[in-house]
């Protein structure tokens, strides 16, 4: 794995994903964490089975870390005995409960380039472990998750858990527009370099940790690989379903509100590796032109419909010039905000006021074009029909739209991927990330 970012890259920028090299003997490539709380019965057979499986099938050096979440039974003694008997097995003791807190603590301290975790009950068949981490080792993906809801997965569990799991994932898709299929399967992996940047942004320390991590990763453009799994429900699971579901819904509300207000610093994660093929500069092809043009057209069509509805509404109580000005003003603010986020990929609140001010100047040009068209129509026909007014406005708006795109691209949201200035610690100018 390449560990030296470009000399022109800002501090903290992650390197391009690459296939992990064959490690030196004894250097762990994979660190599998097993979070436990009062698991004195299951811990020993789980760790021994996992250790035997990895020794027999995993081609790289590995480590198994037991994350003891404030256990009050003999779990610490069992963990200590396993550590003494099995090479590559360690234990970390935490004085507070919480699966997310345990994973954040161990993953943040681990030096292994690939980090994973699984539940102590080993509900997931271990044959899925190598397919889970292989895309991370090869440099193909940033995170990987086991999915019980994939078509080819084979799952044995009761109808209650099945209903809750599917309902929860439907909520995530509807409220947070998540595209991953299974947020809560206790079988996940992440590249170490990604974890070092992503984990500080994840607030939850409990069961919602997985979902929050995946949503932030997906919204930041990181690649999530899904592996179908064979999974058998543990009837003796100590997870409190109702309380966990309530906490998860609170987390969904918190993340949804943060995404809506733009308070999450997702720009730290947006395409941080510098290996997105869409960013490659081609001779004679402006970077991202096709993508930006498509986004601008979609936003433009919606804005035009919104504008026409506003114009028709304002026209009921004021003249055509006043209705046109009001409709353009409202739709221009919405258009600038939508293009800022969707077309030109600018995230967060930085520069939002300046962008809106520049957008209003672009609006003034559009107002001059459309108002001039209305004035010319009125001078030629006196009192034209409403349908004629709309036809003229559509034509004028098409001309204004082309000009608006050029101004947005060249002036309001320019592609300013300038060389990094090591002396000032900034890029030469601010632009979309």
């Amino acid at each position: 794995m390449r560990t030296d970012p470009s000399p022109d890259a800002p501090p903290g920028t992650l390197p391009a994903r690459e296939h992990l090299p064959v490690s030196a003997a004894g250097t762990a490539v994979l660190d599998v964490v097993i979070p436990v709380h009062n698991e004195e019965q299951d811990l020993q057979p789980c760790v021994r089975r996992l250790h035997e499986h990895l020794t027999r099938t995993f081609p790289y050096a590995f480590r198994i870390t037991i994350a003891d979440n404030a256990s009050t039974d003999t779990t610490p003694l069992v963990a200590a005995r396993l550590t003494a008997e099995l090479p590559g097995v360690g234990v970390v003791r935490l004085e507070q409960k919480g699966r997310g807190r345990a994973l954040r603590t161990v993953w943040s301290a681990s030096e292994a380039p690939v980090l994973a975790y699984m539940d102590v009950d080993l509900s997931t068949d271990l044959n899925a472990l190598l397919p889970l981490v292989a895309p991370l080792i090869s440099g193909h993906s940033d995170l990987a998750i086991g999915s019980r809801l994939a078509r080819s997965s084979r799952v044995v569990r009761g109808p209650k858990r099945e209903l809750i799991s599917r309902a929860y994932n439907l909520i995530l898709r509807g409220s947070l527009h998540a595209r991953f299929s299974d947020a809560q399967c206790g079988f996940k992996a992440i590249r170490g370099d990604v974890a070092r940047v992503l984990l500080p942004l994840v607030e939850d320390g409990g069961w919602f940790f997985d979902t929050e991590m995946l949503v932030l990763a997906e919204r930041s453009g990181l690649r999530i690989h899904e592996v179908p799994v064979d999974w058998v429900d543990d009837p003796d699971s100590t997870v409190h379903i109702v309380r966990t579901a309530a906490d998860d819904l609170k987390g969904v509300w918190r993340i949804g509100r943060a995404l809506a207000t733009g308070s999450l610093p997702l720009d730290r994660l947006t395409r941080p590796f510098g290996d997105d093929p869409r960013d490659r500069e081609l001779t004679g092809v402006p970077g991202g032109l096709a993508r930006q043009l498509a986004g601008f057209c979609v936003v433009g069509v919606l804005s035009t419909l919104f504008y026409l509805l506003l114009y028709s509404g304002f026209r009921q109580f004021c003249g055509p010039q006043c209705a046109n000005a009001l409709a353009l003003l409202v739709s221009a603010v919405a258009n600038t905000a939508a293009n800022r986020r969707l077309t030109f990929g600018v995230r967060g609140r930085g520069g939002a006021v300046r962008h809106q001010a520049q957008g209003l100047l672009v609006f003034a040009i559009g107002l001059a074009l459309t108002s001039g068209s209305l004035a010319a129509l009125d001078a030629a026909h006196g009192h034209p029909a409403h349908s004629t007014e709309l036809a003229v406005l559509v034509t004028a708006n098409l001309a204004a739209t082309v000009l608006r795109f050029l101004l947005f691209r060249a002036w309001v949201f320019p592609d300013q991927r300038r060389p990094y200035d090591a002396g000032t610690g900034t890029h030469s100018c601010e632009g979309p990330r």
Side-chain angles (χ1 to χ4, degrees):
M1 178 178 64
R2 192 172 69 198
T3 57
D4 54 325
S6 167
D8 293 328
T13 296
L14 293 170
R17 293 190 304 261
E18 291 187 350
H19 196 299
L20 296 176
V22 177
S23 62
T27 302
V29 170
L30 173 66
D31 191 351
V32 183
V33 181
I34 304 176
V36 292
H37 173 72
N38 292 345
E39 297 286 356
E40 58 185 2
Q41 297 297 324
D42 291 339
L43 180 57
Q44 178 166 280
C46 164
V47 173
R48 290 190 180 278
R49 181 180 163 196
L50 174 61
H51 189 274
E52 186 276 332
H53 177 84
L54 288 171
T55 302
R56 178 170 48 87
T57 66
F58 195 66
Y60 292 86
F62 64 86
R63 181 168 61 243
I64 299 173
T65 303
I66 303 167
D68 178 14
N69 287 311
S71 294
T72 56
D73 60 2
T74 62
T75 295
L77 297 178
V78 176
R81 185 164 61 249
L82 290 168
T83 300
E85 295 176 2
L86 298 177
V89 176
V91 60
V92 174
R93 168 76 179 184
L94 291 90
E95 299 303 328
Q96 289 181 290
K97 291 176 59 177
R99 181 177 70 177
R101 182 177 293 107
L103 292 177
R104 181 188 294 109
T105 300
V106 178
W107 280 356
S108 298
S110 178
E111 296 181 355
V114 177
L115 310 167
Y117 94 88
M118 61 180 60
D119 292 334
V120 69
D121 56 20
L122 290 185
S123 295
T124 304
D125 184 74
L126 290 178
N127 286 327
L129 182 55
L130 185 54
L132 181 80
V133 302
L136 310 186
I137 293 174
S138 70
H140 175 272
S141 300
D142 305 305
L143 297 91
I145 65 173
S147 175
R148 299 163 295 185
L149 302 181
R151 286 176 179 251
S152 57
S153 296
R154 293 177 293 187
V155 177
V156 178
R157 62 177 167 181
K160 181 179 179 180
R161 284 181 176 270
E162 179 76 12
L163 177 63
I164 292 175
S165 179
R166 291 189 178 275
Y168 179 64
N169 282 282
L170 284 175
I171 290 173
L172 293 181
R173 288 175 178 268
S175 60
L176 301 179
H177 306 289
R179 295 191 296 274
F180 47 84
S181 65
D182 192 350
Q184 289 288 33
C185 180
F187 195 68
K188 295 183 175 68
I190 185 172
R191 285 178 66 100
D193 49 7
V194 177
R196 283 186 283 275
V197 179
L198 180 59
L199 293 185
L201 304 182
V202 181
E203 296 183 15
D204 191 81
W207 293 97
F208 188 69
F209 173 89
D210 301 52
T211 301
E212 185 172 359
M213 178 180 69
L214 290 174
V215 170
L216 295 183
E218 187 174 75
R219 287 300 186 100
S220 301
L222 301 182
R223 179 175 287 166
I224 301 174
H225 176 75
E226 296 199 13
V227 178
V229 297
D230 296 341
W231 195 86
V232 179
D233 190 15
D234 178 13
D236 299 323
S237 174
T238 58
V239 177
H240 194 291
I241 297 178
V242 176
R243 183 171 62 244
T244 300
D247 291 341
D248 285 346
L249 292 177
K250 292 178 183 177
V252 170
W253 168 256
R254 173 174 58 82
I255 292 298
R257 182 176 58 185
L259 291 172
T261 59
S263 60
L264 290 172
L266 297 180
D267 56 318
R268 297 185 195 174
L269 293 165
T270 303
R271 286 183 283 156
F273 300 98
D275 60 351
D276 192 318
R278 295 171 298 180
D279 289 337
R280 296 172 187 168
E281 295 184 5
L282 303 178
T283 304
V285 179
L289 177 59
R291 186 168 75 252
Q292 292 177 356
L293 187 58
F296 184 82
C297 287
V298 172
V299 172
V301 169
L302 296 177
S303 297
T304 300
L305 294 175
F306 184 48
Y307 160 78
L308 292 175
L309 288 174
L310 290 174
Y311 177 81
S312 298
F314 291 140
R315 191 68 177 82
Q316 302 298 317
F317 56 85
C318 64
Q321 294 287 3
C322 179
N324 177 57
L326 290 174
L328 269 178
L329 178 61
V330 175
S331 62
V333 172
N335 180 277
T336 300
N339 276 307
R340 180 179 188 269
R341 175 64 181 86
L342 301 177
T343 303
F344 298 97
V346 180
R347 303 172 187 265
R349 299 178 181 177
V353 175
R354 173 171 58 82
H355 293 152
Q356 282 292 350
Q358 291 173 308
L360 287 177
L361 290 178
V362 176
F363 146 77
I365 297 174
L367 177 62
L369 285 173
T370 52
S371 297
S373 300
L374 283 176
L377 178 64
D378 186 65
H381 296 280
H383 297 285
H386 182 64
S387 59
T388 305
E389 286 182 352
L390 290 179
V392 170
L393 285 173
V394 168
T395 303
N397 266 292
L398 287 175
T401 297
V402 175
L403 183 59
R404 187 182 305 121
F405 176 74
L406 296 176
L407 289 174
F408 271 179
R409 181 176 170 80
W411 180 48
V412 184
F413 307 110
D415 185 7
Q416 296 178 342
R417 289 172 288 183
R418 301 288 188 261
Y420 182 72
D421 188 341
T424 62
T426 61
H427 291 278
S428 58
C429 48
E430 182 185 359
R433 300 289 301 276

